[in-house]
Amino acid sequence: MPQAPEPEKLDVVALVDTAERELAAAATEQALREVHARYGGREGAIKRAVQAAINAAPKDRKREVGQVGNAALQRIEGAFEARLRSLGDEARTRDLARTVDVTLPGRSHRPGHLHPITHARRAIERIFAQLGFTLATGPQVETDFHNFEALAMPPDHPARDMQDTFYLANSDLLLRTHTSPVQIRTMLAQRPPVRVICPGTVYRRDDDPTHSPMFHQVEGLLVDEQVTFADLKGVLLHFARAFFGPATTVRLRPSFFPFTEPSAEFDLSCVFCAGAGCRTCKNTGWIEVGGAGMVDPEVFRHVDYDSERYTGFAFGFGIDRMAMLKYRISDIRLLYEGDHRLLEQFP
Ligand code: DAH
């Protein structure tokens, strides 16, 4: 901030001239207030100059000098007020001069989009809801008991090798490697009959670039009296047709899972070539989508169900894969890159 002139060196009239010039030239309200503070008011340069002149004047002239000084201070106040008003007028004039075309259409917000995996999950939930399946969920951080042991995979069971597990340090907790532990939680919480589907996020340590360490599965479980393998196949066939269209067929191939007996691999007729053979199905006409089987009595033992009275089936498959097949997405990585060009295609 420039220093105010030394009051004693200048006479009051010259000081008032300078102050008025500076007030009139101030371009902003803040600059104006600074100039005013420097010259005007009880602390300002003019007041100090007037006081000095009074002190220096002979006794009989002090009163006259004081009156001249007061008049000078009032002029400064007047000049300040006037400039303040004119700055306000200038701002208003500028605002009014700004042209606004009120006929232009407004800017619309672009709506968000559901992820294709969410679309697929909801479609799956809807189809099973129509068959009377209710929704069940479980935690993503699981215990060894729910994820492995109660599913007939005791410590050192070779099947644990198939599922590269993320363990939480210094505990028996882990990130669930499949949605099957929700079967256990459901059966521990309720008596038969049971009819649930359990969609959810699962985790596996995969270093293959075409696999994601986090992906989605849906588990199905039905337990009642006299449930058969034919019921399992009927439910899977109904689902496949509702999800992919009436021409779809299902194939169950003998396989092994520790928690089902018998166990099966669940294949769909290729949704791209309808079984004729193409790149996606590697010319086999079939696409592998999940596992299924009849609940092993060993699992029932862990949840205290009577395996003489009850039987049940279970199945599990990947939601990501279902979404890719349904929406013809060729690379799983596209699902996890958050690219708007992909997401915007799924309103
Ligand atoms: N949990 C198995 C996996 O993630 C899939 C599975 C197979 C689930 C057979 C089942 C089943 O319910 O009966 O590889």
Side-chain angles (χ1 to χ4, degrees), residues 82 179 279 309:
T179 42
R279 217 161 52 103
R309 183 170 169 199

Side-chain angles (χ1 to χ4, degrees), residues 117-129:
I117 294 174
T118 307
H119 279 295
R121 175 175 54 75
R122 291 189 178 177
I124 293 165
E125 288 169 3
R126 251 192 321 272
I127 293 164
F128 283 104

Side-chain angles (χ1 to χ4, degrees), residues 34-317:
E34 277 167 20
V35 174
H36 177 245
R38 207 167 335 124
Y39 293 100
R42 277 203 261 160
E43 312 272 297
I46 293 172
K47 177 77 183 172
R48 281 181 280 134
V50 168
Q51 196 55 56
I54 293 172
N55 293 346
K59 227 182 178 141
D60 60 336
R61 298 211 48 223
K62 282 190 197 292
R63 187 189 167 86
E64 192 189 330
V65 172
Q67 281 169 350
V68 173
N70 275 340
L73 282 169
Q74 270 163 23
R75 270 179 61 183
I76 294 301
E77 287 311 306
F80 168 69
E81 299 287 345
R83 182 66 189 140
L84 196 58
R85 267 194 307 277
S86 74
L87 278 176
D89 290 345
E90 283 166 25
R92 245 188 314 283
T93 310
R94 263 198 312 278
D95 278 350
L96 288 173
R98 203 176 293 149
T99 49
V100 174
D101 182 351
V102 294
T103 66
L104 281 175
R107 270 187 215 123
S108 60
H109 291 278
R110 292 201 296 170
H113 296 263
L114 292 178
H115 195 279
I117 294 174
T118 307
H119 279 295
R121 175 175 54 75
R122 291 189 178 177
I124 293 165
E125 288 169 3
R126 251 192 321 272
I127 293 164
F128 283 104
Q130 285 161 359
L131 296 178
F133 285 74
T134 56
L135 215 56
T137 55
Q140 295 178 28
V141 175
E142 259 302 1
T143 65
D144 187 274
F145 172 78
H146 294 90
N147 195 81
F148 289 124
E149 193 138 7
L151 290 162
M153 284 180 275
D156 302 323
H157 192 287
R160 289 190 178 207
D161 263 9
M162 287 159 50
Q163 311 200 341
D164 268 327
T165 310
F166 287 111
Y167 287 96
L168 276 71
N170 307 321
S171 72
D172 85 327
L173 298 175
L174 45 84
L175 298 183
R176 67 180 176 194
T177 56
H178 50 178
T179 42
S180 304
V182 188
Q183 289 186 31
I184 303 301
R185 290 186 175 273
T186 304
M187 289 189 280
L188 286 172
Q190 77 180 80
R191 301 274 95 199
V194 169
R195 213 187 309 180
V196 290
I197 55 155
C198 333
T201 310
V202 301
Y203 302 85
R204 285 185 206 174
R205 287 181 47 189
D206 249 319
D207 26 36
D208 177 341
T210 64
H211 283 80
S212 163
M214 183 277 288
F215 57 103
H216 303 85
Q217 283 191 336
V218 61
E219 193 79 12
L221 173 70
L222 188 148
V223 182
D224 205 341
E225 291 175 3
Q226 295 174 356
V227 177
T228 71
F229 202 88
D231 297 319
L232 167 62
K233 184 157 186 184
V235 165
L236 291 178
L237 184 62
H238 172 83
F239 162 73
R241 292 190 166 160
F243 193 78
F244 288 109
T248 319
T249 53
V250 162
R251 178 173 78 172
L252 294 172
R253 274 180 297 124
S255 185
F256 176 80
F257 296 102
F259 37 92
T260 43
E261 182 57 39
S263 301
E265 215 70 58
F266 157 34
D267 297 346
L268 291 178
S269 56
C270 180
V271 297
F272 294 108
C273 63
C278 68
R279 217 161 52 103
T280 308
C281 62
K282 300 189 187 90
N283 280 316
T284 63
W286 296 96
I287 297 177
E288 222 177 282
V289 288
M294 301 305 289
V295 181
D296 196 297
E298 174 65 6
V299 174
F300 282 155
R301 191 180 64 78
H302 275 104
V303 298
D304 202 21
Y305 275 19
D306 179 357
S307 57
E308 294 299 321
R309 183 170 169 199
Y310 297 108
T311 51
F313 65 72
F315 57 84
F317 56 81

